[in-house]
Amino acid sequence: MLILALDSSAAPASAALLEDGKILSEFYINTKQTHSQTLMPMVESVLKLTNKTLDDVTCMAVSAGPGSFTGVRIGVSCVKGLSMTRNISCAGVSTLRAMAENARQLTGIVCAVMDARCGQVYNALFRAEDGKLTRLCDDRALPIAELLEECKTFTEKIYLVGDGAELCYKTFAAIRAELLLPQLRFQRASGVAMAAQEMVENGQTVTPDALMPIYLRLPQAERELKAKNAQKNNK
């Protein structure tokens, strides 16, 4: 099984190739270039340097959200375009699930958080034990204070991952949560690939047509428009 995975859900972008559980190659970049400029060259590189082609790929995976609305759209569109002509199956991986892969070998609660602005974070909780991850809740958007109250109920060690981890770290001081190192904190295409492997094994892949972004909230412009319309209707 050969999985080609992409991540463009936040500022960095990456591409990785996974074969039967082994990462063959990974390209990670964190510059001011747009993902529309960097993703395709990275895909070409991870394939070329491993002497693989798209015809060898069994499944294409992408971090489908939550995350940057523009970044998620670019990643999903790229995977749909590449897979459609060859009818390659697709896996839309939760960005939060992908970043939790970095803490799979730890023991405790993995708290995956992304900055959702407006005092909220995108979050999912996982239990890491014996090299396995167990999801404890669905992906959601919630206030940091509310997340803290929930995490206080756990007796296990809590590990913070994601671009919202540092944002939560001081607030979580009372429960002594641990902030993972930067190289383990953020989502990468290798994590997307590992999560996608489980989806393939569990029959959770979809056709290219059915692959869609995962938005937990409306884009800011749509939220503002909805608020304006509500104000007009209340007058």
Side-chain angles (χ1 to χ4, degrees), residues 75-85 90 207-212:
V76 170
S77 297
C78 184
V79 166
K80 286 172 76 76
L82 290 172
S83 59
M84 199 166 289
T85 56
C90 299
T207 62
D209 284 341
L211 180 67
M212 297 296 288

Side-chain angles (χ1 to χ4, degrees), residues 164-176:
E166 201 165 357
L167 185 66
C168 294
Y169 185 53
K170 290 183 179 179
T171 305
F172 279 47
I175 57 175
R176 298 181 181 178

